[in-house]
Amino acid sequence: LVLFAVAKTLPEFPDINANFIGDKMRRFTHAQLGVAIDTPKGLLVPVIRDADTLSVKAISAKVKEYANACKDGSISGDALTGGSFTVTNLGNLGIESFTPIINPPQTAILGVCGTTLRPRQKADGSIEYYQAMGLSLTFDHRVVDGAPAAKFLKAVADKLEKFNLILAM
């Protein structure tokens, strides 16, 4: 679901959906979405091509295919190149907060943190608990300033909170 929300958001933010090589920018029209996969031989980042054009089901199937290929060593070199942005997840390990490292020449990376219960006050004054998931965005300040990066992160969070609406996209 996070990958789908990110894929739908990236085309709206060309400086985040980009590569910075030397002193030149390469902005992508579609989301070339890297997915960090932990393997016995280390981290690999296969790329889901044009992820913004895919369904949730298609993205899920591609991630499973790539994860299996990464772990059994059959992933092709072509599948590991050309990403415009990467998503990494340590939340499945119970990590509540971390700072992911950018995968050069990409300009940003999103870290998915674990979920925690948080309290909030309801309109009647009572307290309720809800599941909250942290997201950590690391970005190259030579390319992206803090406000545009925050707007990207907010757009991803908004899509996740209103997930039924983006399914209609």
Side-chain angles (χ1 to χ4, degrees), residues 113-137:
C113 306
T115 59
T116 58
L117 279 178
R118 291 195 181 150
R120 69 175 157 213
Q121 190 170 17
K122 294 170 44 174
D124 66 4
S126 65
I127 302 295
E128 70 176 351
Y129 288 88
Y130 68 99
Q131 285 284 334
M133 178 181 67
L135 298 172
S136 299
L137 182 69

Side-chain angles (χ1 to χ4, degrees), residues 3-150:
L3 295 173
F4 185 75
V6 168
K8 293 296 185 185
T9 306
L10 279 170
E12 301 168 27
F13 294 86
D15 287 345
I16 291 177
N17 189 33
N19 288 175
F20 185 57
I21 304 166
D23 62 348
K24 302 223 185 297
M25 288 288 297
R26 177 180 179 205
R27 292 173 180 87
F28 293 80
T29 303
H30 293 285
Q32 309 306 321
L33 189 57
V35 180
I37 307 286
D38 183 32
T39 74
K41 294 183 179 181
L43 187 70
L44 294 176
V45 183
V47 177
I48 302 171
R49 309 281 174 206
D50 301 333
D52 57 303
T53 67
L54 301 177
S55 67
V56 172
K57 187 175 180 178
I59 289 173
S60 177
K62 189 55 99 172
V63 169
K64 288 175 187 170
E65 173 191 332
Y66 279 159
N68 290 332
C70 285
K71 289 175 183 172
D72 70 20
S74 66
I75 191 81
S76 74
D78 286 344
L80 298 171
T81 62
S84 62
F85 184 89
T86 295
V87 174
T88 184
N89 178 11
L90 295 182
N92 58 336
L93 299 174
I95 305 301
E96 291 183 26
S97 178
F98 70 105
T99 304
I101 304 299
I102 298 170
N103 189 13
Q106 297 170 16
T107 61
I109 185 171
L110 182 70
V112 179
C113 306
T115 59
T116 58
L117 279 178
R118 291 195 181 150
R120 69 175 157 213
Q121 190 170 17
K122 294 170 44 174
D124 66 4
S126 65
I127 302 295
E128 70 176 351
Y129 288 88
Y130 68 99
Q131 285 284 334
M133 178 181 67
L135 298 172
S136 299
L137 182 69
T138 303
F139 54 94
D140 186 336
H141 233 298
R142 296 174 298 171
V143 177
V144 181
D145 287 334

